[in-house]
Amino acid sequence: MTKILIVGGVAGGASAAARARRLSEDAEIIMFERGEFVSFANCGLPYHIGGDIKDRSKLLLQTPDSFLARFNVDVRVMNEVIAIDRQAKSVTVKNLIDGSEYTERYDFLLLSPGAAPIIPPISGLDNPLTHSLRNIPDMDRILNTLCSNKPKHATVVGGGFIGLEVMEAFQQLGIKTSLIEMAEQVMTPVDREMAGFVHEEIRNKGIDLKLGVALQSVEHLRHQNSESLKLQLSNGESLDTDILIMAIGVRPETQLAKQAGLCIGATGGIYTNAKMQTSDPSIYAVGDAVEEQDFVTGNPTLVPLAGPANRQGRMAADNMLGREQRYQGTQGTAICKVFDLAVASTGMNEKQLQQSGTAYEKVYVHTASHASYYPGAETVSFKMLFDPQSGKIFGAQAVGKDGVDKRIDVMAVAQRAGMSVQQLQHLELTYAPPFGSAKDVINQAAFVANNIIEGDATPIHFNEIAHLTDKQLLLDVRNPAERKNGNHIAGDINIPVDQLRQRMHELPKDKEIIIYCQVGLRGNVAYRQLVNNGYKAKNLLGGYRTYKIATA
């Protein structure tokens, strides 16, 4: 009879336990969790704080009793595995309730300890008003502070998923909120010009957003009937706040693996092969604690997401019980709700492509989530990165109020299937006016990309506009009304696209014409007219909309 021990009872561990039981009724399966809860929805925690998920019990997907009843898994909460003896194939477990210790032997051991919040060495952080959010006890402590201290002002440090979701939760509770992010943007999986739409949304909702600013020190102040914090920031400001959430990221929990002498990867996660085996073939590891392979580059990476963790847990269980499953890399497909916006991405972003020295091209489209004449259409701002030679898809990003998830999901599938941007032109996606367009966002991005690959379009990007020379002329082909209130690029001239044929003689042939419109579509029409008439020209991809948000 196979004996499987599982360390960690959330996404990866719980998935492995359930899968192992479905494959074998005979296996002995014991799951250890040092906390008091297993199989809880940690991605739902901010939404309970903000009141979207009213019923706390909805966050508990399984309990030790339900796991035993359905899967015959011995779940031991408040039991921490503190040591692994690889020679004896046993673990030492500490019962956190009474402090006693005992050993359990194993045939296979699965490590799914997750990742812990990074707490930087900032003086004064250790105080009762400062929290991080990883699990249900963390959530309960935050709710307790909200109840007892009744904060009028909250501060969130870190503009990743957790930080943005907690920021929104506080705003929904009517608490004035500051968001502090050390980088020049929130949501680092997307590039800065795409994050610009999110910055605009955050500020429009009354959040005090501070970018390029770090927290330097915290002072805990006690008043007659309340407490507060004084924060010192790197920009010289100080901030008075009543609750502080640290959400600057997570790092893999590798202590147990290190003590057991298991190989730790270059990125700091537990090394595993494609079968999710560690350097010890009897020990498997999954989830946020492991180093995984980037789907696009094949390089090691850390991607703390629930989807990969669940799939890895399932595959590890298969392999422990004699099957052959191989994990095929992580794309990092992710989405975040920020008030009325969704921001999502898959694959590599431009920063990563630049760091790896990869040659790439990019396109932007801003087009309606469904037929623009049907009520409720919203703009989807979409960016696609690809190899200009082969058409290989490197990544995609999207921001908007509607239809963002389905575009990035389609791109994630296309990328995993090995499709090229040439093939994206032929995607046949659902169309009826309430749901989509006859030429979907993705088709349109593919058409623009193929125009570049085929030489039918010569692009210029927003970051190149500041470096134009006197051999270039900037031409706005929008209508004059669109240029009001300074909504145009300085130093341009304006000839609307519908007048261009008649007024082309006004343009010099000895200069390169840099064309722009609102989103790039009319610019392409003007570009074709000019090059077909012997002019040298380039079209600003994404148009004034991308330029304006990127340079804001």
Short mmCIF file of all heavy atoms in Angstrom, two decimals, residues 26-91:
data_model
loop_
_atom_site.label_atom_id
_atom_site.label_comp_id
_atom_site.label_asym_id
_atom_site.label_seq_id
_atom_site.Cartn_x
_atom_site.Cartn_y
_atom_site.Cartn_z
N ASP A 26 -6.70 2.50 -2.26
CA ASP A 26 -5.86 1.83 -1.25
C ASP A 26 -4.81 2.74 -0.63
O ASP A 26 -4.36 2.49 0.49
CB ASP A 26 -5.13 0.62 -1.87
CG ASP A 26 -6.11 -0.37 -2.48
OD1 ASP A 26 -7.21 -0.51 -1.91
OD2 ASP A 26 -5.78 -0.98 -3.51
N ALA A 27 -4.38 3.75 -1.34
CA ALA A 27 -3.28 4.59 -0.84
C ALA A 27 -3.65 5.21 0.51
O ALA A 27 -4.80 5.58 0.74
CB ALA A 27 -2.95 5.69 -1.84
N GLU A 28 -2.65 5.29 1.40
CA GLU A 28 -2.84 6.02 2.66
C GLU A 28 -2.38 7.46 2.41
O GLU A 28 -1.25 7.70 1.99
CB GLU A 28 -2.02 5.39 3.79
CG GLU A 28 -2.28 6.07 5.12
CD GLU A 28 -1.42 5.51 6.26
OE1 GLU A 28 -0.68 4.53 6.04
OE2 GLU A 28 -1.48 6.10 7.36
N ILE A 29 -3.27 8.41 2.63
CA ILE A 29 -2.97 9.81 2.33
C ILE A 29 -3.16 10.64 3.59
O ILE A 29 -4.25 10.66 4.18
CB ILE A 29 -3.88 10.36 1.20
CG1 ILE A 29 -3.83 9.46 -0.04
CG2 ILE A 29 -3.50 11.80 0.85
CD1 ILE A 29 -4.91 9.76 -1.07
N ILE A 30 -2.09 11.31 4.01
CA ILE A 30 -2.16 12.20 5.17
C ILE A 30 -1.73 13.59 4.72
O ILE A 30 -0.69 13.75 4.08
CB ILE A 30 -1.25 11.72 6.33
CG1 ILE A 30 -1.55 10.27 6.71
CG2 ILE A 30 -1.41 12.64 7.56
CD1 ILE A 30 -0.59 9.68 7.74
N MET A 31 -2.52 14.59 5.06
CA MET A 31 -2.22 15.97 4.69
C MET A 31 -2.00 16.79 5.96
O MET A 31 -2.84 16.79 6.85
CB MET A 31 -3.36 16.55 3.85
CG MET A 31 -3.08 17.92 3.27
SD MET A 31 -4.15 18.28 1.85
CE MET A 31 -5.72 18.54 2.68
N PHE A 32 -0.84 17.46 6.03
CA PHE A 32 -0.50 18.28 7.20
C PHE A 32 -0.64 19.76 6.84
O PHE A 32 -0.14 20.21 5.81
CB PHE A 32 0.96 18.03 7.64
CG PHE A 32 1.25 16.59 7.96
CD1 PHE A 32 1.86 15.76 7.03
CD2 PHE A 32 0.92 16.08 9.21
CE1 PHE A 32 2.13 14.43 7.33
CE2 PHE A 32 1.20 14.75 9.52
CZ PHE A 32 1.80 13.92 8.58
N GLU A 33 -1.29 20.51 7.71
CA GLU A 33 -1.44 21.95 7.50
C GLU A 33 -1.16 22.65 8.82
O GLU A 33 -1.79 22.35 9.83
CB GLU A 33 -2.86 22.28 7.00
CG GLU A 33 -3.22 23.74 6.96
CD GLU A 33 -2.24 24.59 6.16
OE1 GLU A 33 -1.98 24.28 4.98
OE2 GLU A 33 -1.73 25.56 6.74
N ARG A 34 -0.17 23.54 8.84
CA ARG A 34 0.20 24.18 10.10
C ARG A 34 -0.83 25.22 10.55
O ARG A 34 -0.87 25.61 11.70
CB ARG A 34 1.59 24.81 10.00
CG ARG A 34 1.69 25.97 9.05
CD ARG A 34 3.11 26.50 8.98
NE ARG A 34 3.21 27.49 7.92
CZ ARG A 34 4.35 27.87 7.39
NH1 ARG A 34 5.49 27.35 7.80
NH2 ARG A 34 4.36 28.78 6.44
N GLY A 35 -1.66 25.71 9.60
CA GLY A 35 -2.74 26.62 9.97
C GLY A 35 -3.96 25.83 10.41
O GLY A 35 -3.95 24.61 10.50
N GLU A 36 -5.06 26.56 10.66
CA GLU A 36 -6.27 25.86 11.12
C GLU A 36 -7.25 25.57 9.98
O GLU A 36 -8.29 24.96 10.20
CB GLU A 36 -6.96 26.66 12.24
CG GLU A 36 -7.29 28.09 11.90
CD GLU A 36 -7.84 28.87 13.08
OE1 GLU A 36 -8.87 28.45 13.63
OE2 GLU A 36 -7.24 29.90 13.45
N PHE A 37 -6.91 26.00 8.76
CA PHE A 37 -7.83 25.81 7.63
C PHE A 37 -7.12 25.13 6.48
O PHE A 37 -5.94 25.38 6.22
CB PHE A 37 -8.39 27.16 7.15
CG PHE A 37 -9.10 27.93 8.22
CD1 PHE A 37 -8.45 28.97 8.89
CD2 PHE A 37 -10.40 27.62 8.58
CE1 PHE A 37 -9.10 29.68 9.89
CE2 PHE A 37 -11.06 28.33 9.57
CZ PHE A 37 -10.41 29.36 10.23
N VAL A 38 -7.86 24.27 5.76
CA VAL A 38 -7.35 23.69 4.51
C VAL A 38 -8.27 24.11 3.37
O VAL A 38 -9.41 24.50 3.60
CB VAL A 38 -7.28 22.14 4.56
CG1 VAL A 38 -6.22 21.69 5.54
CG2 VAL A 38 -8.64 21.53 4.88
N SER A 39 -7.73 24.02 2.17
CA SER A 39 -8.54 24.21 0.96
C SER A 39 -9.44 25.44 1.04
O SER A 39 -10.62 25.38 0.75
CB SER A 39 -9.40 22.95 0.71
OG SER A 39 -9.96 22.99 -0.59
N PHE A 40 -8.82 26.56 1.45
CA PHE A 40 -9.61 27.80 1.49
C PHE A 40 -9.31 28.65 0.26
O PHE A 40 -8.27 28.50 -0.38
CB PHE A 40 -9.35 28.58 2.79
CG PHE A 40 -7.93 29.06 2.97
CD1 PHE A 40 -7.53 30.29 2.45
CD2 PHE A 40 -7.01 28.29 3.66
CE1 PHE A 40 -6.21 30.72 2.61
CE2 PHE A 40 -5.70 28.73 3.83
CZ PHE A 40 -5.31 29.94 3.30
N ALA A 41 -10.22 29.55 -0.06
CA ALA A 41 -10.10 30.36 -1.28
C ALA A 41 -9.29 31.61 -0.97
O ALA A 41 -9.85 32.68 -0.72
CB ALA A 41 -11.49 30.72 -1.80
N ASN A 42 -7.94 31.49 -0.97
CA ASN A 42 -7.15 32.66 -0.58
C ASN A 42 -7.30 33.82 -1.56
O ASN A 42 -7.12 34.98 -1.19
CB ASN A 42 -5.67 32.32 -0.30
CG ASN A 42 -5.05 31.43 -1.34
OD1 ASN A 42 -5.67 31.14 -2.36
ND2 ASN A 42 -3.83 31.00 -1.09
N CYS A 43 -7.65 33.54 -2.82
CA CYS A 43 -7.87 34.63 -3.78
C CYS A 43 -9.15 35.41 -3.46
O CYS A 43 -9.35 36.51 -3.98
CB CYS A 43 -7.95 34.09 -5.20
SG CYS A 43 -6.40 33.33 -5.74
N GLY A 44 -10.01 34.84 -2.61
CA GLY A 44 -11.26 35.52 -2.26
C GLY A 44 -11.18 36.39 -1.02
O GLY A 44 -12.12 37.12 -0.71
N LEU A 45 -10.03 36.34 -0.32
CA LEU A 45 -9.93 37.05 0.97
C LEU A 45 -10.20 38.56 0.87
O LEU A 45 -10.97 39.09 1.67
CB LEU A 45 -8.55 36.79 1.61
CG LEU A 45 -8.17 35.32 1.87
CD1 LEU A 45 -6.76 35.23 2.45
CD2 LEU A 45 -9.17 34.65 2.80
N PRO A 46 -9.60 39.27 -0.11
CA PRO A 46 -9.87 40.72 -0.18
C PRO A 46 -11.34 41.02 -0.45
O PRO A 46 -11.85 42.06 -0.02
CB PRO A 46 -9.00 41.19 -1.36
CG PRO A 46 -7.96 40.14 -1.55
CD PRO A 46 -8.61 38.86 -1.13
N TYR A 47 -12.03 40.11 -1.14
CA TYR A 47 -13.43 40.36 -1.50
C TYR A 47 -14.37 40.15 -0.31
O TYR A 47 -15.47 40.68 -0.29
CB TYR A 47 -13.83 39.50 -2.69
CG TYR A 47 -13.01 39.84 -3.92
CD1 TYR A 47 -12.00 38.99 -4.37
CD2 TYR A 47 -13.23 41.02 -4.61
CE1 TYR A 47 -11.23 39.32 -5.48
CE2 TYR A 47 -12.46 41.36 -5.71
CZ TYR A 47 -11.46 40.51 -6.14
OH TYR A 47 -10.69 40.86 -7.22
N HIS A 48 -13.92 39.39 0.68
CA HIS A 48 -14.69 39.30 1.93
C HIS A 48 -14.47 40.55 2.77
O HIS A 48 -15.41 41.10 3.36
CB HIS A 48 -14.31 38.05 2.72
CG HIS A 48 -15.06 37.89 4.02
ND1 HIS A 48 -16.43 37.82 4.09
CD2 HIS A 48 -14.62 37.84 5.31
CE1 HIS A 48 -16.81 37.71 5.35
NE2 HIS A 48 -15.73 37.73 6.11
N ILE A 49 -13.23 41.05 2.79
CA ILE A 49 -12.93 42.29 3.54
C ILE A 49 -13.79 43.43 3.00
O ILE A 49 -14.36 44.21 3.75
CB ILE A 49 -11.43 42.63 3.44
CG1 ILE A 49 -10.59 41.58 4.20
CG2 ILE A 49 -11.16 44.04 4.00
CD1 ILE A 49 -9.10 41.70 3.99
N GLY A 50 -13.90 43.52 1.66
CA GLY A 50 -14.63 44.62 1.04
C GLY A 50 -16.14 44.43 1.03
O GLY A 50 -16.87 45.36 0.69
N GLY A 51 -16.61 43.22 1.35
CA GLY A 51 -18.05 42.97 1.45
C GLY A 51 -18.68 42.36 0.22
O GLY A 51 -19.89 42.11 0.21
N ASP A 52 -17.88 42.09 -0.85
CA ASP A 52 -18.46 41.44 -2.04
C ASP A 52 -18.88 40.01 -1.72
O ASP A 52 -19.92 39.54 -2.19
CB ASP A 52 -17.44 41.43 -3.19
CG ASP A 52 -17.14 42.83 -3.69
OD1 ASP A 52 -18.09 43.54 -4.03
OD2 ASP A 52 -15.96 43.21 -3.72
N ILE A 53 -18.04 39.31 -0.95
CA ILE A 53 -18.38 37.97 -0.47
C ILE A 53 -18.83 38.13 0.97
O ILE A 53 -18.01 38.34 1.86
CB ILE A 53 -17.18 37.01 -0.58
CG1 ILE A 53 -16.72 36.89 -2.04
CG2 ILE A 53 -17.52 35.63 -0.02
CD1 ILE A 53 -15.41 36.16 -2.22
N LYS A 54 -20.13 38.06 1.18
CA LYS A 54 -20.68 38.37 2.51
C LYS A 54 -20.40 37.26 3.52
O LYS A 54 -20.07 37.50 4.67
CB LYS A 54 -22.20 38.57 2.41
CG LYS A 54 -22.62 39.72 1.49
CD LYS A 54 -22.76 41.03 2.26
CE LYS A 54 -23.35 42.12 1.40
NZ LYS A 54 -22.39 42.81 0.55
N ASP A 55 -20.56 36.01 3.07
CA ASP A 55 -20.53 34.86 3.98
C ASP A 55 -19.10 34.30 4.08
O ASP A 55 -18.57 33.76 3.11
CB ASP A 55 -21.50 33.79 3.44
CG ASP A 55 -21.65 32.62 4.39
OD1 ASP A 55 -20.89 32.55 5.38
OD2 ASP A 55 -22.53 31.77 4.13
N ARG A 56 -18.48 34.46 5.24
CA ARG A 56 -17.11 34.00 5.45
C ARG A 56 -16.95 32.51 5.15
O ARG A 56 -15.92 32.07 4.64
CB ARG A 56 -16.72 34.30 6.91
CG ARG A 56 -15.31 33.91 7.32
CD ARG A 56 -15.10 34.38 8.77
NE ARG A 56 -13.79 34.01 9.30
CZ ARG A 56 -13.50 32.81 9.78
NH1 ARG A 56 -14.43 31.85 9.76
NH2 ARG A 56 -12.30 32.54 10.24
N SER A 57 -17.98 31.72 5.46
CA SER A 57 -17.88 30.26 5.28
C SER A 57 -17.75 29.87 3.81
O SER A 57 -17.27 28.79 3.49
CB SER A 57 -19.10 29.57 5.89
OG SER A 57 -20.26 29.90 5.17
N LYS A 58 -18.15 30.79 2.91
CA LYS A 58 -18.01 30.51 1.47
C LYS A 58 -16.54 30.39 1.05
O LYS A 58 -16.22 29.83 0.00
CB LYS A 58 -18.68 31.62 0.65
CG LYS A 58 -20.20 31.66 0.73
CD LYS A 58 -20.83 30.75 -0.33
CE LYS A 58 -22.27 31.06 -0.61
NZ LYS A 58 -23.18 31.01 0.53
N LEU A 59 -15.64 30.94 1.88
CA LEU A 59 -14.21 30.87 1.57
C LEU A 59 -13.62 29.50 1.91
O LEU A 59 -12.52 29.18 1.47
CB LEU A 59 -13.44 31.95 2.35
CG LEU A 59 -13.83 33.41 2.06
CD1 LEU A 59 -13.17 34.33 3.07
CD2 LEU A 59 -13.45 33.80 0.64
N LEU A 60 -14.34 28.71 2.69
CA LEU A 60 -13.84 27.39 3.10
C LEU A 60 -14.39 26.33 2.15
O LEU A 60 -15.53 25.90 2.27
CB LEU A 60 -14.26 27.10 4.54
CG LEU A 60 -13.78 28.13 5.58
CD1 LEU A 60 -14.42 27.90 6.92
CD2 LEU A 60 -12.25 28.11 5.68
N LEU A 61 -13.56 25.94 1.17
CA LEU A 61 -14.02 25.02 0.13
C LEU A 61 -14.17 23.60 0.68
O LEU A 61 -15.04 22.84 0.27
CB LEU A 61 -13.06 25.05 -1.06
CG LEU A 61 -12.76 26.46 -1.60
CD1 LEU A 61 -11.74 26.39 -2.72
CD2 LEU A 61 -14.03 27.16 -2.06
N GLN A 62 -13.27 23.21 1.59
CA GLN A 62 -13.33 21.91 2.25
C GLN A 62 -12.91 22.11 3.71
O GLN A 62 -12.17 23.04 4.02
CB GLN A 62 -12.37 20.90 1.60
CG GLN A 62 -12.70 20.51 0.17
CD GLN A 62 -13.77 19.45 0.07
OE1 GLN A 62 -14.25 18.92 1.07
NE2 GLN A 62 -14.18 19.13 -1.15
N THR A 63 -13.33 21.21 4.56
CA THR A 63 -12.86 21.17 5.95
C THR A 63 -12.20 19.80 6.16
O THR A 63 -12.37 18.89 5.33
CB THR A 63 -14.05 21.29 6.93
OG1 THR A 63 -14.90 20.14 6.76
CG2 THR A 63 -14.86 22.56 6.66
N PRO A 64 -11.45 19.63 7.26
CA PRO A 64 -10.90 18.29 7.53
C PRO A 64 -11.97 17.20 7.51
O PRO A 64 -11.75 16.11 6.98
CB PRO A 64 -10.28 18.47 8.92
CG PRO A 64 -9.87 19.91 8.96
CD PRO A 64 -10.95 20.64 8.21
N ASP A 65 -13.15 17.49 8.07
CA ASP A 65 -14.23 16.48 8.11
C ASP A 65 -14.75 16.17 6.71
O ASP A 65 -14.99 15.02 6.36
CB ASP A 65 -15.37 16.96 8.99
CG ASP A 65 -14.99 16.96 10.48
OD1 ASP A 65 -13.99 16.29 10.81
OD2 ASP A 65 -15.68 17.63 11.27
N SER A 66 -14.94 17.22 5.88
CA SER A 66 -15.47 16.98 4.53
C SER A 66 -14.44 16.25 3.67
O SER A 66 -14.79 15.42 2.83
CB SER A 66 -15.91 18.29 3.87
OG SER A 66 -14.80 19.10 3.54
N PHE A 67 -13.16 16.54 3.89
CA PHE A 67 -12.10 15.84 3.15
C PHE A 67 -12.09 14.36 3.51
O PHE A 67 -11.93 13.49 2.65
CB PHE A 67 -10.73 16.45 3.48
CG PHE A 67 -10.01 17.00 2.28
CD1 PHE A 67 -9.80 18.35 2.13
CD2 PHE A 67 -9.54 16.15 1.29
CE1 PHE A 67 -9.15 18.86 1.02
CE2 PHE A 67 -8.88 16.65 0.17
CZ PHE A 67 -8.69 18.01 0.05
N LEU A 68 -12.28 14.09 4.80
CA LEU A 68 -12.30 12.69 5.25
C LEU A 68 -13.53 11.98 4.67
O LEU A 68 -13.42 10.85 4.17
CB LEU A 68 -12.32 12.65 6.79
CG LEU A 68 -12.26 11.25 7.41
CD1 LEU A 68 -10.93 10.57 7.08
CD2 LEU A 68 -12.45 11.32 8.92
N ALA A 69 -14.67 12.63 4.72
CA ALA A 69 -15.92 12.00 4.25
C ALA A 69 -15.87 11.71 2.76
O ALA A 69 -16.24 10.62 2.31
CB ALA A 69 -17.11 12.90 4.58
N ARG A 70 -15.40 12.68 1.98
CA ARG A 70 -15.46 12.52 0.52
C ARG A 70 -14.26 11.77 -0.03
O ARG A 70 -14.39 10.97 -0.95
CB ARG A 70 -15.58 13.89 -0.15
CG ARG A 70 -15.68 13.78 -1.68
CD ARG A 70 -16.14 15.06 -2.32
NE ARG A 70 -17.49 15.41 -1.92
CZ ARG A 70 -18.15 16.46 -2.36
NH1 ARG A 70 -17.57 17.29 -3.22
NH2 ARG A 70 -19.37 16.72 -1.95
N PHE A 71 -13.06 12.05 0.51
CA PHE A 71 -11.84 11.51 -0.11
C PHE A 71 -11.06 10.55 0.79
O PHE A 71 -10.01 10.05 0.38
CB PHE A 71 -10.91 12.68 -0.52
CG PHE A 71 -11.51 13.58 -1.56
CD1 PHE A 71 -11.88 14.87 -1.24
CD2 PHE A 71 -11.72 13.13 -2.86
CE1 PHE A 71 -12.43 15.71 -2.21
CE2 PHE A 71 -12.27 13.96 -3.83
CZ PHE A 71 -12.63 15.26 -3.50
N ASN A 72 -11.57 10.31 2.02
CA ASN A 72 -10.85 9.45 2.96
C ASN A 72 -9.39 9.88 3.10
O ASN A 72 -8.47 9.08 3.08
CB ASN A 72 -10.93 7.98 2.54
CG ASN A 72 -10.44 7.05 3.65
OD1 ASN A 72 -10.45 7.41 4.82
ND2 ASN A 72 -9.98 5.87 3.26
N VAL A 73 -9.19 11.19 3.26
CA VAL A 73 -7.85 11.75 3.50
C VAL A 73 -7.78 12.19 4.95
O VAL A 73 -8.68 12.87 5.45
CB VAL A 73 -7.59 12.96 2.56
CG1 VAL A 73 -6.30 13.68 2.95
CG2 VAL A 73 -7.51 12.50 1.10
N ASP A 74 -6.72 11.77 5.62
CA ASP A 74 -6.49 12.14 7.02
C ASP A 74 -5.87 13.54 7.03
O ASP A 74 -4.68 13.71 6.76
CB ASP A 74 -5.55 11.10 7.65
CG ASP A 74 -5.20 11.41 9.09
OD1 ASP A 74 -5.70 12.42 9.62
OD2 ASP A 74 -4.41 10.65 9.69
N VAL A 75 -6.68 14.55 7.32
CA VAL A 75 -6.22 15.94 7.32
C VAL A 75 -5.90 16.36 8.75
O VAL A 75 -6.76 16.29 9.63
CB VAL A 75 -7.29 16.89 6.72
CG1 VAL A 75 -6.82 18.33 6.78
CG2 VAL A 75 -7.61 16.50 5.29
N ARG A 76 -4.67 16.79 8.97
CA ARG A 76 -4.23 17.19 10.32
C ARG A 76 -3.88 18.67 10.32
O ARG A 76 -2.76 19.04 9.92
CB ARG A 76 -3.05 16.33 10.76
CG ARG A 76 -3.38 14.85 10.75
CD ARG A 76 -2.21 14.00 11.21
NE ARG A 76 -2.49 12.58 11.00
CZ ARG A 76 -1.61 11.60 11.20
NH1 ARG A 76 -0.39 11.89 11.65
NH2 ARG A 76 -1.95 10.34 10.98
N VAL A 77 -4.84 19.49 10.73
CA VAL A 77 -4.57 20.93 10.83
C VAL A 77 -3.81 21.20 12.13
O VAL A 77 -3.78 20.37 13.04
CB VAL A 77 -5.86 21.77 10.76
CG1 VAL A 77 -6.50 21.68 9.39
CG2 VAL A 77 -6.85 21.37 11.84
N MET A 78 -3.19 22.38 12.19
CA MET A 78 -2.35 22.77 13.34
C MET A 78 -1.25 21.75 13.58
O MET A 78 -0.81 21.54 14.72
CB MET A 78 -3.20 22.97 14.61
CG MET A 78 -4.31 23.98 14.45
SD MET A 78 -3.73 25.62 13.96
CE MET A 78 -2.98 26.20 15.46
N ASN A 79 -0.80 21.11 12.50
CA ASN A 79 0.31 20.16 12.56
C ASN A 79 1.35 20.61 11.54
O ASN A 79 1.08 20.65 10.34
CB ASN A 79 -0.16 18.74 12.22
CG ASN A 79 -0.73 18.01 13.43
OD1 ASN A 79 -0.15 17.05 13.92
ND2 ASN A 79 -1.89 18.48 13.89
N GLU A 80 2.55 20.95 12.03
CA GLU A 80 3.59 21.48 11.16
C GLU A 80 4.70 20.44 10.97
O GLU A 80 5.24 19.92 11.96
CB GLU A 80 4.19 22.76 11.75
CG GLU A 80 5.25 23.36 10.86
CD GLU A 80 5.77 24.71 11.36
OE1 GLU A 80 5.49 25.07 12.51
OE2 GLU A 80 6.47 25.38 10.58
N VAL A 81 5.02 20.15 9.71
CA VAL A 81 6.15 19.26 9.42
C VAL A 81 7.42 20.10 9.61
O VAL A 81 7.61 21.12 8.94
CB VAL A 81 6.07 18.70 7.99
CG1 VAL A 81 7.33 17.90 7.66
CG2 VAL A 81 4.83 17.83 7.85
N ILE A 82 8.28 19.70 10.55
CA ILE A 82 9.45 20.52 10.89
C ILE A 82 10.77 19.92 10.40
O ILE A 82 11.80 20.60 10.40
CB ILE A 82 9.53 20.78 12.42
CG1 ILE A 82 9.52 19.47 13.21
CG2 ILE A 82 8.38 21.69 12.87
CD1 ILE A 82 9.80 19.65 14.71
N ALA A 83 10.75 18.66 9.96
CA ALA A 83 12.00 18.05 9.46
C ALA A 83 11.67 16.87 8.55
O ALA A 83 10.64 16.21 8.71
CB ALA A 83 12.89 17.60 10.62
N ILE A 84 12.58 16.64 7.59
CA ILE A 84 12.46 15.50 6.68
C ILE A 84 13.73 14.66 6.82
O ILE A 84 14.84 15.20 6.74
CB ILE A 84 12.33 15.96 5.20
CG1 ILE A 84 11.10 16.86 5.01
CG2 ILE A 84 12.27 14.76 4.25
CD1 ILE A 84 11.08 17.59 3.65
N ASP A 85 13.58 13.37 7.06
CA ASP A 85 14.71 12.44 7.06
C ASP A 85 14.62 11.63 5.77
O ASP A 85 13.83 10.69 5.66
CB ASP A 85 14.64 11.52 8.29
CG ASP A 85 15.84 10.59 8.39
OD1 ASP A 85 16.46 10.29 7.35
OD2 ASP A 85 16.16 10.16 9.52
N ARG A 86 15.42 12.03 4.77
CA ARG A 86 15.29 11.40 3.44
C ARG A 86 15.77 9.94 3.46
O ARG A 86 15.25 9.12 2.70
CB ARG A 86 16.08 12.21 2.41
CG ARG A 86 15.38 13.53 2.06
CD ARG A 86 16.32 14.51 1.36
NE ARG A 86 16.92 13.90 0.17
CZ ARG A 86 17.94 14.42 -0.49
NH1 ARG A 86 18.49 15.56 -0.08
NH2 ARG A 86 18.43 13.81 -1.55
N GLN A 87 16.78 9.66 4.30
CA GLN A 87 17.28 8.27 4.35
C GLN A 87 16.21 7.33 4.91
O GLN A 87 15.93 6.27 4.36
CB GLN A 87 18.56 8.18 5.20
CG GLN A 87 19.84 8.55 4.45
CD GLN A 87 19.85 9.99 3.96
OE1 GLN A 87 19.53 10.91 4.71
NE2 GLN A 87 20.18 10.19 2.69
N ALA A 88 15.59 7.74 6.01
CA ALA A 88 14.57 6.91 6.65
C ALA A 88 13.20 7.06 5.96
O ALA A 88 12.27 6.34 6.29
CB ALA A 88 14.45 7.28 8.13
N LYS A 89 13.10 8.03 5.02
CA LYS A 89 11.83 8.36 4.37
C LYS A 89 10.75 8.60 5.43
O LYS A 89 9.72 7.93 5.47
CB LYS A 89 11.41 7.27 3.37
CG LYS A 89 12.32 7.22 2.14
CD LYS A 89 11.91 6.18 1.13
CE LYS A 89 10.87 6.70 0.18
NZ LYS A 89 10.68 5.84 -0.99
N SER A 90 11.05 9.58 6.30
CA SER A 90 10.09 9.93 7.34
C SER A 90 10.14 11.44 7.58
O SER A 90 11.10 12.11 7.20
CB SER A 90 10.38 9.19 8.64
OG SER A 90 11.56 9.69 9.23
N VAL A 91 9.07 11.95 8.18
CA VAL A 91 9.04 13.36 8.56
C VAL A 91 8.77 13.47 10.06
O VAL A 91 8.16 12.58 10.66
CB VAL A 91 7.94 14.14 7.79
CG1 VAL A 91 8.19 14.10 6.29
CG2 VAL A 91 6.53 13.62 8.12
#
